[in-house]
Amino acid sequence: MDVWEEDAIWLAIVFRRLAPTDLDLVFCDEGYTFDVRLPAGTTEAELTDWVNAAG
């Protein structure tokens, strides 16, 4: 998706809440320069911190 990072993070968190907890989800950028696992219960703030640390 070509959206702002904050919108992509919000959407990833919403999807994480809807997906089964035993399903492995990974958040990455379009160039696959980083990937961050999204465990169940991840917050937007946590994912933002992980993305900033990885990038």
Side-chain angles (χ1 to χ4, degrees), residues 9 13 16-17 27 36-54:
I9 287 173
I13 295 301
R16 173 72 271 180
R17 290 179 186 149
F27 183 80
V36 178
R37 295 218 176 272
L38 267 79
T42 300
T43 65
E44 286 183 54
E46 289 172 326
L47 182 53
T48 300
D49 289 345
W50 296 339
V51 166
N52 291 335

Side-chain angles (χ1 to χ4, degrees), residues 3-16:
V3 297
W4 294 102
E5 184 177 287
E6 64 189 31
D7 293 336
I9 287 173
W10 174 84
L11 184 57
I13 295 301
V14 170
F15 186 77
R16 173 72 271 180

